[in-house]
Amino acid sequence: DAKTTQPNSMESNEEEPVHLPCNHSTISGTDYIHWYRQLPSQGPEYVIHGLTSNVNNRMASLAIAEDRKSSTLILHRATLRDAAVYYCIPYNYGQNFVFGPGTRLSVLP
Amino acid sequence: GAVVSQHPSRVICKSGTSVKIECRSLDFQATTMFWYRQFPKQSLMLMATSNEGSKATYEQGVEKDKFLINHASLTLSTLTVTSAHPEDSSFYICSAGTGTSGGRETQYFGPGTRLLVL
């Protein structure tokens, strides 16, 4: 399983963009990069995933470095409901989803 | 998106009793289900992987005789904590996938079950 490094915590003001970084320098060539988030007292929730190209969906954007050793989850306008722990998880079928400590995002009103 | 439910959402039991937690995939067939536990202020730790119709695969350090997993159908997996003790108090979370999309596979997580053993 590829090892990931994320900041322990980040803070953002409401309605401002947030860039959550993740280093995954040992990722294999076929691992997808998944991002999940966990709100307090809830199970994790899927956010986005990608392989090589940048990806957009209604929740967020995912920017993947050309060498795939890092990626950045972008929340375009943070809301109070985005306060959660965000996990980046390199994954390929047959592996386990390995959760690191993640980044705890606080959103200030 | 797909929905995974867990029941009960929270349970309080006496030390020495057994507790069963159900995990259901409501609108898709889950070939594989995963069980995690999460202690306060910690990340999720994988306990075991269950495939429909076969024995579960447990992670190192997880006692298979204490945490019984049954994946009897493509929509239901159960985790039974036998002879529960206070140190088993935790947040138990299941997840499920269809097993059809390779590395693109999205895991759908249940809302979790909070177990408190007195």
Side-chain angles (χ1 to χ4, degrees), chain A residues 8-27:
Chain A
N8 289 333
S9 62
M10 291 184 67
E11 235 176 44
S12 171
N13 293 318
E14 198 175 10
E15 301 202 355
E16 289 188 356
V18 182
H19 290 227
L20 298 162
C22 180
N23 285 321
H24 33 75
S25 58
T26 60
I27 193 171

Side-chain angles (χ1 to χ4, degrees), chain A residues 7-67:
Chain A
N8 289 333
S9 62
M10 291 184 67
E11 235 176 44
S12 171
N13 293 318
E14 198 175 10
E15 301 202 355
E16 289 188 356
V18 182
H19 290 227
L20 298 162
C22 180
N23 285 321
H24 33 75
S25 58
T26 60
I27 193 171
S28 80
T30 53
D31 285 351
Y32 280 74
I33 300 155
H34 289 249
W35 283 80
Y36 284 73
R37 70 180 185 182
Q38 186 178 23
L39 279 64
S41 298
Q42 294 187 29
E45 172 188 30
Y46 168 77
V47 178
I48 201 167
H49 74 274
L51 182 61
T52 55
S53 304
N54 294 344
V55 185
N56 300 298
N57 66 20
R58 64 175 179 82
M59 289 181 70
S61 295
L62 176 60
I64 301 172
E66 197 169 329
D67 63 6

Side-chain angles (χ1 to χ4, degrees), chain A residues 3 38 57 61 93 97 102 105 108-109:
Chain A
K3 182 175 169 55
Q38 186 178 23
N57 66 20
S61 295
Y93 187 69
F97 265 67
L105 175 66
L108 307 177

Side-chain angles (χ1 to χ4, degrees), chain B residues 16-90:
Chain B
T17 60
S18 294
V19 174
K20 180 186 283 190
I21 302 170
E22 290 186 352
C23 175
R24 293 183 185 272
S25 57
L26 298 185
D27 51 1
F28 68 100
Q29 293 187 324
T31 54
T32 305
M33 287 183 168
F34 302 86
W35 287 95
Y36 299 81
R37 64 181 166 184
Q38 186 175 32
F39 294 107
K41 300 199 182 301
Q42 294 187 23
S43 190
L44 283 77
M45 295 296 296
L46 180 66
M47 299 176 66
T49 304
S50 75
N51 292 295
E52 185 262 339
S54 59
K55 289 184 178 180
T57 301
Y58 290 82
E59 294 299 298
Q60 193 171 10
V62 178
E63 300 175 56
K64 63 179 181 181
D65 295 329
K66 181 169 183 62
F67 299 99
L68 302 179
I69 292 172
N70 186 300
H71 192 159
S73 77
L74 286 172
T75 59
L76 173 65
S77 176
T78 60
L79 168 68
T80 301
V81 183
T82 62
S83 186
H85 291 285
E87 58 266 29
D88 298 322
S89 299
S90 189

Side-chain angles (χ1 to χ4, degrees), chain B residues 97-111:
Chain B
T98 61
T100 59
S101 304
R104 301 187 302 276
E105 174 91 333
T106 299
Q107 287 294 311
Y108 300 99
F109 288 82

